[in-house]
Amino acid sequence: MSVRFGVLGPLLVLDGATEVTPGPAKHRALLVALLMNAGRTVTHDRLVAAVWGAEPPASAEAVLRVYVSALRKIVEGIRTVPGGYLLAVDPDEVDAHRFERLVAQARRARDAGRARAAAEMLGQALGLWRGRALDGIDGELRRAHAVPLEELRLAALEERVALDLELGRGAEVIGELRALVSAYPLRERAWAQLMLALIQAGRRSEALAAYQEARGTLVAELGLEPGPELREAHERALAEESPRRVPNETPPDIADFTGRQAALGWIRAALPAPDAAPVHLVLYGPAGAGKSALAIHAARGLDLPDGRLHASLRDRTPGAVLEDLLRSLGCPDGAVPASLDERVRLYRSLVADRRVLVVLDDATSEAQVRPLLPTGAGSLTLVTSRSPLFGLEAARAYPLDVLEAEEAVAMLARIVGAGRVAAEPGQALRIVRLCGALPLALRIAGSRLARRRGWTLEHLADRLGDERSRLDELSAGDLAVRSSLALGYRALSGDERLLLRRLGALSSPGFAPWIAAALVGPEGGRIMESLAEAGLLQERGLDRYGWHDLTRLYAAERLAEEEGPAAAVLAGAAGEILDRARRARELMLPAEPGSGLTLSHTVERDLATARLAESARWLAAERSFMVATVADLHRARLDEAAWRLAFYLTPLFELGAYHDDWRTTAALGLDAAKRAGHRHGEALLLRSLADLHRAEGRLEEAAEALRAALPLTEQGEVARTTFRLGLVYRAQERLPDAERCFTECLAAFGADPRGAADPRRADLRAADPRRADLRAADLKGADLRGADPRGAADALRALGELRGDGELSRRALELYRQLGDPRGEAATLLDLAALSLAGHRTKEARQLAERAAGLSRRLGDVLPAAAAALLLAQVARAEGRPEAARTAAGEALAAFESHGDRRGRARAMLAIAAASLDLDEIDGAIDAVAGTMGEFDALGDRRGLAEAQELAREARRRRGLR
């Protein structure tokens, strides 16, 4: 027959794959009574007792026949025999009989010395159980059959465990034995077997703890001490010594490892003494920075007596890593605990008395690392991660950036050969730059050159020069920058991936959190922090982040593939960028036409100065970002935003003498304005270029730019363009022309615009002579409360300086103060100081210059402060203090040199030469003045050149007299 029966659990009848278990409880009881006596006669009385117990109904025997008839419909083989019934079924079709047979066979195999076969048979027998025997059957029937079966099951389990222990499988049965002693806490043999299993797994301390738990239970529950079997297991645990393995898993060192001496020194210095607490170090940095190579190189150089462990973490769980580490420490096959907590306990027990070095490579989080940290005194852990893992308790972190240029070239030389690098040193540096000095990228580039001996370094550099294919070029074998970056990208959250790829719209190497908010919303700053923790961005100071150029290229790739062109992202962020730049410009130039900002009317003077200084510092901090963004906007053909941003940045470039950035952004802005057909923007950018040309001494180019701007200039800006033309004329020593421009502007700035004549109607090259005859007295009384008070202040200051008229300069000073413009105030104070010095009022000159210097320092304006120091040097010389004069001029020289201000540097050198001459240091004076003449000549500064020539003649004259 094909029907099978199960009683080792709830009653189960299977006809093939179909369950046909009877439903009524009395039918099930009758069937169980027949199954437990399969092949034997069961009397009517026993069956009645099995179905109804001690008080059957009077009709029990008749009803029994009805039940048997019902069972026969699903179970074949129920026969009526004299005195009762018999179920003719193969005992192996009943799981309880099969269980008993397998247990008996296993015991015979055990007695015959076939332990492995016996264990397998017991395992098969125990595998038949589905729960409690006869579950759902009550009464005498259960008591008669279920209890003996359960006892046999426990005995079989203990016998199988004993065989497993004999076969060295202790670690595999620990979990099973823990469940057994939990269910049967008074079963001493189970406790003894648990201890032996723990000893086999190398967990001696846990075995001893199990004995204490078992003893406590026995004493508390029974008042008895452990028996012989449990005591014997305890004695074995006390005498056990686990085999001690000294692992050495550090991967091979890298033959061409180069540099990183500071990091290696930091690691060596952190190595703890043998009896000191363990030390945990984190090497963190961007993908491809060489963190793993450094950790391996450092590990090979450290000698810890009890072994070196190495684990590659990546996306692995702590439990999986612990399994490997435990095997490395000597755990036999199958001896690793199943649960994470048990693995951690065993790992800590095994390393508690060892001094080991553990390298945990490519960690992703603190939670992944914590369970893996060794606890033994004097141990050292080296963790590599893209994140600093600041949440890892008692750990020290070391940021690993790209290589220094010299180290990078040396690394390239070790890969491709020193001769090839020596033959093309410039191209080697170019490859280093294009790889961003990233070790992974350099290794790939070097590998490609090493395999292609016919390639020159220049050829590879040219291939790398195209940003669109650079990541494609940086691939060799199983090494690829793109795949390394992709690992980090895929591990990010959706918000983090969104911000990273949108940052790819920017070419700037650094940025602040506010741009993240402009790109993805208010949470952008927090997400940017997460990207830094993931190692895809690097902190570059307070609230500043940067990234590797190859990361930028990868982000740009993801943006193009997942969202489309960068222009849409830039357009979305342009409003915030322009607004911040515009507000910073307004703070730098209070009351500039169109700004509506006059700080002195709204804030206290000291606060106004602080806000102006802060705006300059903010713009200076954002300078590189803003310069790159002008190019980004221009490249994306967002022309309106490009030219406006270029215009807003002009005061920053002028104040800091950032001439290269100024030239780049002004040219891009001018091109964008032309491309957009925006005449006003074109005029403003021509004016900006003119200011740059004038600052660099290219005066004719400045004049040409201003003349080109005039026909494009809107009504309100004509006078300001004319004013700048006057500044150019003054620098060219065309003083009458300069004066005509300034007086023309002053009339426009100070008059009611409704009645003012349009200055464009005047030919600036042949201005109305009557304008040139305006006297200082006329200007002093003019009503200057018109459309452009700042322009009026600028014009008054220029005329005051040109004419040497202190009254005009003081009127300008008053206006700057009313406008809340401390920069204009400082510049005018310096003009007044120069006038006082020319009038031999040295005390007054020094006081005015010191006030100007103090204002400039509070504003953080380095170059104006240097100009004040230079004037103070002239005052000191006039006071007969040449040493003080040389000191002040030296301070000015340092500032001018640091900002690349050629004119200021030449003036400072001239002051130093003059002071040296006063000190009778003739040779020093000649050396100082020699370099200034060529500089003044190149700058077109005729006045400076004349002063230098005169000083040189005087120095030579004095040398001739000696």
Side-chain angles (χ1 to χ4, degrees), residues 685-703:
L685 269 301
L686 281 168
R687 197 173 78 189
S688 175
L689 277 173
D691 289 343
L692 171 63
H693 294 327
R694 175 168 51 84
E696 293 182 327
R698 292 182 284 120
L699 302 176
E700 191 51 46
E701 291 177 57

mmCIF file with all atom_site columns, all heavy atoms in Angstrom, residues 685-703:
data_model
loop_
_atom_site.group_PDB
_atom_site.id
_atom_site.type_symbol
_atom_site.label_atom_id
_atom_site.label_alt_id
_atom_site.label_comp_id
_atom_site.label_asym_id
_atom_site.label_entity_id
_atom_site.label_seq_id
_atom_site.pdbx_PDB_ins_code
_atom_site.Cartn_x
_atom_site.Cartn_y
_atom_site.Cartn_z
_atom_site.occupancy
_atom_site.B_iso_or_equiv
_atom_site.pdbx_formal_charge
_atom_site.auth_seq_id
_atom_site.auth_comp_id
_atom_site.auth_asym_id
_atom_site.auth_atom_id
_atom_site.pdbx_PDB_model_num
ATOM 1   N N   . LEU A 1 685 ? 31.090 94.716  -18.760 1.00 0.00 ? 685 LEU A N   1
ATOM 2   C CA  . LEU A 1 685 ? 32.272 93.850  -18.808 1.00 0.00 ? 685 LEU A CA  1
ATOM 3   C C   . LEU A 1 685 ? 33.441 94.525  -19.518 1.00 0.00 ? 685 LEU A C   1
ATOM 4   O O   . LEU A 1 685 ? 34.608 94.289  -19.167 1.00 0.00 ? 685 LEU A O   1
ATOM 5   C CB  . LEU A 1 685 ? 31.926 92.528  -19.474 1.00 0.00 ? 685 LEU A CB  1
ATOM 6   C CG  . LEU A 1 685 ? 31.456 91.402  -18.537 1.00 0.00 ? 685 LEU A CG  1
ATOM 7   C CD1 . LEU A 1 685 ? 32.533 91.093  -17.515 1.00 0.00 ? 685 LEU A CD1 1
ATOM 8   C CD2 . LEU A 1 685 ? 30.172 91.766  -17.799 1.00 0.00 ? 685 LEU A CD2 1
ATOM 9   N N   . LEU A 1 686 ? 33.172 95.400  -20.503 1.00 0.00 ? 686 LEU A N   1
ATOM 10  C CA  . LEU A 1 686 ? 34.249 96.195  -21.094 1.00 0.00 ? 686 LEU A CA  1
ATOM 11  C C   . LEU A 1 686 ? 34.845 97.122  -20.049 1.00 0.00 ? 686 LEU A C   1
ATOM 12  O O   . LEU A 1 686 ? 36.066 97.322  -19.997 1.00 0.00 ? 686 LEU A O   1
ATOM 13  C CB  . LEU A 1 686 ? 33.714 97.003  -22.278 1.00 0.00 ? 686 LEU A CB  1
ATOM 14  C CG  . LEU A 1 686 ? 33.532 96.228  -23.587 1.00 0.00 ? 686 LEU A CG  1
ATOM 15  C CD1 . LEU A 1 686 ? 32.720 97.050  -24.588 1.00 0.00 ? 686 LEU A CD1 1
ATOM 16  C CD2 . LEU A 1 686 ? 34.894 95.866  -24.183 1.00 0.00 ? 686 LEU A CD2 1
ATOM 17  N N   . ARG A 1 687 ? 33.987 97.688  -19.216 1.00 0.00 ? 687 ARG A N   1
ATOM 18  C CA  . ARG A 1 687 ? 34.479 98.557  -18.151 1.00 0.00 ? 687 ARG A CA  1
ATOM 19  C C   . ARG A 1 687 ? 35.323 97.770  -17.153 1.00 0.00 ? 687 ARG A C   1
ATOM 20  O O   . ARG A 1 687 ? 36.364 98.260  -16.681 1.00 0.00 ? 687 ARG A O   1
ATOM 21  C CB  . ARG A 1 687 ? 33.278 99.196  -17.437 1.00 0.00 ? 687 ARG A CB  1
ATOM 22  C CG  . ARG A 1 687 ? 33.658 100.401 -16.600 1.00 0.00 ? 687 ARG A CG  1
ATOM 23  C CD  . ARG A 1 687 ? 32.420 101.079 -16.073 1.00 0.00 ? 687 ARG A CD  1
ATOM 24  N NE  . ARG A 1 687 ? 31.860 100.378 -14.928 1.00 0.00 ? 687 ARG A NE  1
ATOM 25  C CZ  . ARG A 1 687 ? 30.669 100.662 -14.384 1.00 0.00 ? 687 ARG A CZ  1
ATOM 26  N NH1 . ARG A 1 687 ? 29.915 101.610 -14.904 1.00 0.00 ? 687 ARG A NH1 1
ATOM 27  N NH2 . ARG A 1 687 ? 30.233 99.999  -13.343 1.00 0.00 ? 687 ARG A NH2 1
ATOM 28  N N   . SER A 1 688 ? 34.906 96.539  -16.853 1.00 0.00 ? 688 SER A N   1
ATOM 29  C CA  . SER A 1 688 ? 35.690 95.695  -15.951 1.00 0.00 ? 688 SER A CA  1
ATOM 30  C C   . SER A 1 688 ? 37.059 95.383  -16.549 1.00 0.00 ? 688 SER A C   1
ATOM 31  O O   . SER A 1 688 ? 38.086 95.450  -15.862 1.00 0.00 ? 688 SER A O   1
ATOM 32  C CB  . SER A 1 688 ? 34.930 94.397  -15.671 1.00 0.00 ? 688 SER A CB  1
ATOM 33  O OG  . SER A 1 688 ? 35.703 93.510  -14.896 1.00 0.00 ? 688 SER A OG  1
ATOM 34  N N   . LEU A 1 689 ? 37.083 95.056  -17.842 1.00 0.00 ? 689 LEU A N   1
ATOM 35  C CA  . LEU A 1 689 ? 38.376 94.798  -18.498 1.00 0.00 ? 689 LEU A CA  1
ATOM 36  C C   . LEU A 1 689 ? 39.251 96.043  -18.503 1.00 0.00 ? 689 LEU A C   1
ATOM 37  O O   . LEU A 1 689 ? 40.475 95.957  -18.346 1.00 0.00 ? 689 LEU A O   1
ATOM 38  C CB  . LEU A 1 689 ? 38.129 94.323  -19.928 1.00 0.00 ? 689 LEU A CB  1
ATOM 39  C CG  . LEU A 1 689 ? 37.825 92.834  -20.110 1.00 0.00 ? 689 LEU A CG  1
ATOM 40  C CD1 . LEU A 1 689 ? 37.424 92.547  -21.547 1.00 0.00 ? 689 LEU A CD1 1
ATOM 41  C CD2 . LEU A 1 689 ? 39.040 91.993  -19.727 1.00 0.00 ? 689 LEU A CD2 1
ATOM 42  N N   . ALA A 1 690 ? 38.632 97.198  -18.655 1.00 0.00 ? 690 ALA A N   1
ATOM 43  C CA  . ALA A 1 690 ? 39.404 98.441  -18.623 1.00 0.00 ? 690 ALA A CA  1
ATOM 44  C C   . ALA A 1 690 ? 40.048 98.632  -17.260 1.00 0.00 ? 690 ALA A C   1
ATOM 45  O O   . ALA A 1 690 ? 41.219 99.048  -17.162 1.00 0.00 ? 690 ALA A O   1
ATOM 46  C CB  . ALA A 1 690 ? 38.495 99.620  -18.952 1.00 0.00 ? 690 ALA A CB  1
ATOM 47  N N   . ASP A 1 691 ? 39.302 98.348  -16.193 1.00 0.00 ? 691 ASP A N   1
ATOM 48  C CA  . ASP A 1 691 ? 39.873 98.456  -14.843 1.00 0.00 ? 691 ASP A CA  1
ATOM 49  C C   . ASP A 1 691 ? 41.059 97.510  -14.692 1.00 0.00 ? 691 ASP A C   1
ATOM 50  O O   . ASP A 1 691 ? 42.069 97.855  -14.070 1.00 0.00 ? 691 ASP A O   1
ATOM 51  C CB  . ASP A 1 691 ? 38.808 98.134  -13.797 1.00 0.00 ? 691 ASP A CB  1
ATOM 52  C CG  . ASP A 1 691 ? 37.751 99.227  -13.682 1.00 0.00 ? 691 ASP A CG  1
ATOM 53  O OD1 . ASP A 1 691 ? 38.003 100.352 -14.156 1.00 0.00 ? 691 ASP A OD1 1
ATOM 54  O OD2 . ASP A 1 691 ? 36.668 98.952  -13.124 1.00 0.00 ? 691 ASP A OD2 1
ATOM 55  N N   . LEU A 1 692 ? 40.946 96.325  -15.242 1.00 0.00 ? 692 LEU A N   1
ATOM 56  C CA  . LEU A 1 692 ? 42.041 95.361  -15.175 1.00 0.00 ? 692 LEU A CA  1
ATOM 57  C C   . LEU A 1 692 ? 43.252 95.880  -15.951 1.00 0.00 ? 692 LEU A C   1
ATOM 58  O O   . LEU A 1 692 ? 44.387 95.834  -15.450 1.00 0.00 ? 692 LEU A O   1
ATOM 59  C CB  . LEU A 1 692 ? 41.582 94.012  -15.740 1.00 0.00 ? 692 LEU A CB  1
ATOM 60  C CG  . LEU A 1 692 ? 42.683 92.963  -15.937 1.00 0.00 ? 692 LEU A CG  1
ATOM 61  C CD1 . LEU A 1 692 ? 43.322 92.592  -14.607 1.00 0.00 ? 692 LEU A CD1 1
ATOM 62  C CD2 . LEU A 1 692 ? 42.108 91.713  -16.619 1.00 0.00 ? 692 LEU A CD2 1
ATOM 63  N N   . HIS A 1 693 ? 43.034 96.361  -17.172 1.00 0.00 ? 693 HIS A N   1
ATOM 64  C CA  . HIS A 1 693 ? 44.148 96.884  -17.970 1.00 0.00 ? 693 HIS A CA  1
ATOM 65  C C   . HIS A 1 693 ? 44.844 98.018  -17.234 1.00 0.00 ? 693 HIS A C   1
ATOM 66  O O   . HIS A 1 693 ? 46.076 98.114  -17.233 1.00 0.00 ? 693 HIS A O   1
ATOM 67  C CB  . HIS A 1 693 ? 43.638 97.387  -19.325 1.00 0.00 ? 693 HIS A CB  1
ATOM 68  C CG  . HIS A 1 693 ? 43.089 96.301  -20.209 1.00 0.00 ? 693 HIS A CG  1
ATOM 69  N ND1 . HIS A 1 693 ? 43.571 95.027  -20.210 1.00 0.00 ? 693 HIS A ND1 1
ATOM 70  C CD2 . HIS A 1 693 ? 42.085 96.340  -21.154 1.00 0.00 ? 693 HIS A CD2 1
ATOM 71  C CE1 . HIS A 1 693 ? 42.904 94.304  -21.088 1.00 0.00 ? 693 HIS A CE1 1
ATOM 72  N NE2 . HIS A 1 693 ? 41.991 95.071  -21.673 1.00 0.00 ? 693 HIS A NE2 1
ATOM 73  N N   . ARG A 1 694 ? 44.048 98.882  -16.602 1.00 0.00 ? 694 ARG A N   1
ATOM 74  C CA  . ARG A 1 694 ? 44.642 100.027 -15.876 1.00 0.00 ? 694 ARG A CA  1
ATOM 75  C C   . ARG A 1 694 ? 45.469 99.520  -14.695 1.00 0.00 ? 694 ARG A C   1
ATOM 76  O O   . ARG A 1 694 ? 46.575 100.008 -14.436 1.00 0.00 ? 694 ARG A O   1
ATOM 77  C CB  . ARG A 1 694 ? 43.531 100.966 -15.395 1.00 0.00 ? 694 ARG A CB  1
ATOM 78  C CG  . ARG A 1 694 ? 44.039 102.127 -14.535 1.00 0.00 ? 694 ARG A CG  1
ATOM 79  C CD  . ARG A 1 694 ? 42.956 103.181 -14.336 1.00 0.00 ? 694 ARG A CD  1
ATOM 80  N NE  . ARG A 1 694 ? 41.713 102.616 -13.870 1.00 0.00 ? 694 ARG A NE  1
ATOM 81  C CZ  . ARG A 1 694 ? 41.442 102.353 -12.579 1.00 0.00 ? 694 ARG A CZ  1
ATOM 82  N NH1 . ARG A 1 694 ? 42.349 102.603 -11.660 1.00 0.00 ? 694 ARG A NH1 1
ATOM 83  N NH2 . ARG A 1 694 ? 40.277 101.849 -12.226 1.00 0.00 ? 694 ARG A NH2 1
ATOM 84  N N   . ALA A 1 695 ? 44.956 98.514  -13.973 1.00 0.00 ? 695 ALA A N   1
ATOM 85  C CA  . ALA A 1 695 ? 45.690 97.971  -12.828 1.00 0.00 ? 695 ALA A CA  1
ATOM 86  C C   . ALA A 1 695 ? 47.000 97.334  -13.257 1.00 0.00 ? 695 ALA A C   1
ATOM 87  O O   . ALA A 1 695 ? 47.981 97.336  -12.513 1.00 0.00 ? 695 ALA A O   1
ATOM 88  C CB  . ALA A 1 695 ? 44.827 96.948  -12.092 1.00 0.00 ? 695 ALA A CB  1
ATOM 89  N N   . GLU A 1 696 ? 47.036 96.798  -14.484 1.00 0.00 ? 696 GLU A N   1
ATOM 90  C CA  . GLU A 1 696 ? 48.242 96.141  -14.975 1.00 0.00 ? 696 GLU A CA  1
ATOM 91  C C   . GLU A 1 696 ? 49.151 97.094  -15.749 1.00 0.00 ? 696 GLU A C   1
ATOM 92  O O   . GLU A 1 696 ? 50.177 96.667  -16.289 1.00 0.00 ? 696 GLU A O   1
ATOM 93  C CB  . GLU A 1 696 ? 47.850 94.962  -15.877 1.00 0.00 ? 696 GLU A CB  1
ATOM 94  C CG  . GLU A 1 696 ? 47.163 93.834  -15.117 1.00 0.00 ? 696 GLU A CG  1
ATOM 95  C CD  . GLU A 1 696 ? 46.809 92.655  -16.002 1.00 0.00 ? 696 GLU A CD  1
ATOM 96  O OE1 . GLU A 1 696 ? 46.491 92.883  -17.191 1.00 0.00 ? 696 GLU A OE1 1
ATOM 97  O OE2 . GLU A 1 696 ? 46.868 91.514  -15.512 1.00 0.00 ? 696 GLU A OE2 1
ATOM 98  N N   . GLY A 1 697 ? 48.747 98.377  -15.844 1.00 0.00 ? 697 GLY A N   1
ATOM 99  C CA  . GLY A 1 697 ? 49.594 99.353  -16.519 1.00 0.00 ? 697 GLY A CA  1
ATOM 100 C C   . GLY A 1 697 ? 49.420 99.384  -18.018 1.00 0.00 ? 697 GLY A C   1
ATOM 101 O O   . GLY A 1 697 ? 50.170 100.083 -18.711 1.00 0.00 ? 697 GLY A O   1
ATOM 102 N N   . ARG A 1 698 ? 48.447 98.675  -18.562 1.00 0.00 ? 698 ARG A N   1
ATOM 103 C CA  . ARG A 1 698 ? 48.201 98.699  -20.010 1.00 0.00 ? 698 ARG A CA  1
ATOM 104 C C   . ARG A 1 698 ? 47.146 99.766  -20.285 1.00 0.00 ? 698 ARG A C   1
ATOM 105 O O   . ARG A 1 698 ? 45.969 99.480  -20.516 1.00 0.00 ? 698 ARG A O   1
ATOM 106 C CB  . ARG A 1 698 ? 47.759 97.308  -20.471 1.00 0.00 ? 698 ARG A CB  1
ATOM 107 C CG  . ARG A 1 698 ? 48.903 96.311  -20.360 1.00 0.00 ? 698 ARG A CG  1
ATOM 108 C CD  . ARG A 1 698 ? 48.578 94.907  -20.846 1.00 0.00 ? 698 ARG A CD  1
ATOM 109 N NE  . ARG A 1 698 ? 47.759 94.187  -19.872 1.00 0.00 ? 698 ARG A NE  1
ATOM 110 C CZ  . ARG A 1 698 ? 46.549 93.709  -20.114 1.00 0.00 ? 698 ARG A CZ  1
ATOM 111 N NH1 . ARG A 1 698 ? 45.996 93.896  -21.299 1.00 0.00 ? 698 ARG A NH1 1
ATOM 112 N NH2 . ARG A 1 698 ? 45.890 93.048  -19.201 1.00 0.00 ? 698 ARG A NH2 1
ATOM 113 N N   . LEU A 1 699 ? 47.593 101.004 -20.225 1.00 0.00 ? 699 LEU A N   1
ATOM 114 C CA  . LEU A 1 699 ? 46.677 102.137 -20.165 1.00 0.00 ? 699 LEU A CA  1
ATOM 115 C C   . LEU A 1 699 ? 45.970 102.400 -21.483 1.00 0.00 ? 699 LEU A C   1
ATOM 116 O O   . LEU A 1 699 ? 44.787 102.767 -21.497 1.00 0.00 ? 699 LEU A O   1
ATOM 117 C CB  . LEU A 1 699 ? 47.441 103.377 -19.702 1.00 0.00 ? 699 LEU A CB  1
ATOM 118 C CG  . LEU A 1 699 ? 48.131 103.222 -18.333 1.00 0.00 ? 699 LEU A CG  1
ATOM 119 C CD1 . LEU A 1 699 ? 48.937 104.471 -17.993 1.00 0.00 ? 699 LEU A CD1 1
ATOM 120 C CD2 . LEU A 1 699 ? 47.106 102.937 -17.255 1.00 0.00 ? 699 LEU A CD2 1
ATOM 121 N N   . GLU A 1 700 ? 46.654 102.216 -22.601 1.00 0.00 ? 700 GLU A N   1
ATOM 122 C CA  . GLU A 1 700 ? 45.992 102.478 -23.878 1.00 0.00 ? 700 GLU A CA  1
ATOM 123 C C   . GLU A 1 700 ? 44.888 101.453 -24.125 1.00 0.00 ? 700 GLU A C   1
ATOM 124 O O   . GLU A 1 700 ? 43.809 101.788 -24.645 1.00 0.00 ? 700 GLU A O   1
ATOM 125 C CB  . GLU A 1 700 ? 47.019 102.454 -25.014 1.00 0.00 ? 700 GLU A CB  1
ATOM 126 C CG  . GLU A 1 700 ? 46.474 102.979 -26.339 1.00 0.00 ? 700 GLU A CG  1
ATOM 127 C CD  . GLU A 1 700 ? 45.798 104.349 -26.196 1.00 0.00 ? 700 GLU A CD  1
ATOM 128 O OE1 . GLU A 1 700 ? 46.380 105.244 -25.530 1.00 0.00 ? 700 GLU A OE1 1
ATOM 129 O OE2 . GLU A 1 700 ? 44.670 104.514 -26.730 1.00 0.00 ? 700 GLU A OE2 1
ATOM 130 N N   . GLU A 1 701 ? 45.148 100.205 -23.743 1.00 0.00 ? 701 GLU A N   1
ATOM 131 C CA  . GLU A 1 701 ? 44.111 99.185  -23.874 1.00 0.00 ? 701 GLU A CA  1
ATOM 132 C C   . GLU A 1 701 ? 42.921 99.508  -22.977 1.00 0.00 ? 701 GLU A C   1
ATOM 133 O O   . GLU A 1 701 ? 41.769 99.271  -23.356 1.00 0.00 ? 701 GLU A O   1
ATOM 134 C CB  . GLU A 1 701 ? 44.680 97.810  -23.511 1.00 0.00 ? 701 GLU A CB  1
ATOM 135 C CG  . GLU A 1 701 ? 45.699 97.278  -24.502 1.00 0.00 ? 701 GLU A CG  1
ATOM 136 C CD  . GLU A 1 701 ? 46.267 95.950  -24.055 1.00 0.00 ? 701 GLU A CD  1
ATOM 137 O OE1 . GLU A 1 701 ? 45.480 95.014  -23.846 1.00 0.00 ? 701 GLU A OE1 1
ATOM 138 O OE2 . GLU A 1 701 ? 47.503 95.855  -23.900 1.00 0.00 ? 701 GLU A OE2 1
ATOM 139 N N   . ALA A 1 702 ? 43.211 100.047 -21.795 1.00 0.00 ? 702 ALA A N   1
ATOM 140 C CA  . ALA A 1 702 ? 42.127 100.429 -20.893 1.00 0.00 ? 702 ALA A CA  1
ATOM 141 C C   . ALA A 1 702 ? 41.271 101.521 -21.527 1.00 0.00 ? 702 ALA A C   1
ATOM 142 O O   . ALA A 1 702 ? 40.034 101.466 -21.493 1.00 0.00 ? 702 ALA A O   1
ATOM 143 C CB  . ALA A 1 702 ? 42.703 100.903 -19.560 1.00 0.00 ? 702 ALA A CB  1
ATOM 144 N N   . ALA A 1 703 ? 41.918 102.533 -22.116 1.00 0.00 ? 703 ALA A N   1
ATOM 145 C CA  . ALA A 1 703 ? 41.183 103.633 -22.738 1.00 0.00 ? 703 ALA A CA  1
ATOM 146 C C   . ALA A 1 703 ? 40.346 103.133 -23.910 1.00 0.00 ? 703 ALA A C   1
ATOM 147 O O   . ALA A 1 703 ? 39.178 103.537 -24.083 1.00 0.00 ? 703 ALA A O   1
ATOM 148 C CB  . ALA A 1 703 ? 42.161 104.715 -23.193 1.00 0.00 ? 703 ALA A CB  1
#
